[in-house]
Amino acid sequence: MRLSTLFVTITTIVILTACSDDMNEAQRKHRSSGVSAVDTTAYEVDKGAAFKDGKNVVIGSFKIGFLQEKKDVPIKTVSDKDGKKLAIAAPGDVKLTGVDGALMQRITDAAYADFTARLKKKGYAVTDRNALLKNRDFAHANKQTSPVRKEASLFGSDSTITYVAPSAHGNLYFVGESGESGGFGFSNPQVAAINYAEETKTQVLFVSYQLDFTDKEGSQKVSILPGNGIRMIGGKGDTFNTANGTILLGQPIFSDASCGEVIDKTADGKQAKSSLSLLKAVLGGGTEKTRAFEMKANPVKYQAVSVKLLADANEKLASKMTSLR
């Protein structure tokens, strides 16, 4: 790679990192306020001119992040062991069950096939991905074998999430979405994508979604978090990096259909201390008590709702992408 390319690459990374920060803020607001009845057609578009005259595209990466555990979620209704609904008001550390790896893979594969079909229907030529994988730069770019589980931590994320790539891909590539980094310099897949797009005049798409599993009432309802969508790499461009743009969801896409039930798993019905609360106590901040809940999903309902929501997201983003062409 040449020094000029490296300069453009560094500029690109800085700009897309800023977009990632905006996306994370949107997600944080969603998680704190819950899913609400808002305009789900809103987008966050950056450098929309990059999508102009687009025709030949290749999907460099497609991934879905499945949230599986969340801390300090407000829960208002739960079920006891006999299925009786109990009304409470307490924060809880919540774990999703009933959604295994095979189910996540089926949902991801369906969403990927749907997205590809929609692009083709809208007039895009989706080129063979093997040519990208054999590219001298992309072949050595940082990647991780799907699935990848990112654990919640005391000092970092308050959620545990599993990222899944389509079966046809096998690997996950990160270019800054969801707070993840693809690396710096020559090992970053974004660098390879810039070079590939410049040489082949083919736009490289990185698509990412995150699926949440609770709403603001603590009910088991699925939603796609805002701040997710399409990152398009179109080449080196100019100093202002106008060849590379993003189309992200500005609002959550959600369903009112319940996909399961919330169960209080706190031992003997007593409040349990979370790791974060214990840490606060050690640091002199006093103790806070929380409960442990299980979001027990119905696999059939969860899959049906998730596939439908992802198809809706695919259509919105592909349509917006087409409108900018």
Side-chain angles (χ1 to χ4, degrees), residues 111-124 126 307-308 310-316 318-319 322:
Y112 174 66
D114 177 83
F115 181 72
T116 302
R118 290 179 191 277
L119 286 182
K120 292 179 179 179
K121 186 176 180 179
K122 294 181 185 300
Y124 286 93
V126 182
V307 169
K308 174 62 168 60
L310 288 162
D312 290 345
N314 285 341
E315 177 60 28
K316 291 179 188 301
S319 293
T322 303

Side-chain angles (χ1 to χ4, degrees), residues 68-141:
Q68 295 184 278
E69 296 180 25
K70 301 194 295 182
K71 295 184 179 296
D72 297 323
V73 178
I75 301 294
K76 294 188 177 181
T77 58
V78 299
S79 299
D80 63 13
K81 63 180 180 180
D82 297 320
K84 181 180 179 181
K85 294 292 183 181
L86 304 174
I88 65 171
D93 292 349
V94 191
K95 181 178 181 180
L96 176 67
T97 63
V99 180
D100 60 14
L103 178 54
M104 288 187 278
Q105 191 65 67
R106 290 196 297 273
I107 292 171
T108 303
D109 288 347
Y112 174 66
D114 177 83
F115 181 72
T116 302
R118 290 179 191 277
L119 286 182
K120 292 179 179 179
K121 186 176 180 179
K122 294 181 185 300
Y124 286 93
V126 182
T127 63
D128 187 355
R129 190 167 178 269
N130 287 327
L132 173 65
L133 297 178
K134 293 177 181 178
N135 175 265
R136 63 183 182 278
D137 293 323
F138 207 87
H140 297 94

Side-chain angles (χ1 to χ4, degrees), residues 53-57 127 195-204 233-236:
D53 300 325
K55 181 179 180 181
N56 297 319
V57 299
T127 63
N195 292 338
Y196 182 83
E198 186 71 21
E199 294 172 3
T200 65
K201 306 306 177 186
T202 300
Q203 296 174 332
V204 184
I233 306 299
K236 297 178 182 178

Side-chain angles (χ1 to χ4, degrees), residues 66-70 149-152 158-162:
F66 294 84
L67 271 73
Q68 295 184 278
E69 296 180 25
K70 301 194 295 182
R149 181 181 172 90
K150 302 287 186 178
E151 300 282 351
D158 60 356
S159 302
T160 294
I161 185 169
T162 296

Side-chain angles (χ1 to χ4, degrees), residues 4 43 61 73 87 90 110 121 123 129 167 191 206:
S4 59
Y43 307 94
S61 175
V73 178
K121 186 176 180 179
R129 190 167 178 269
S167 299
V191 175
F206 292 85

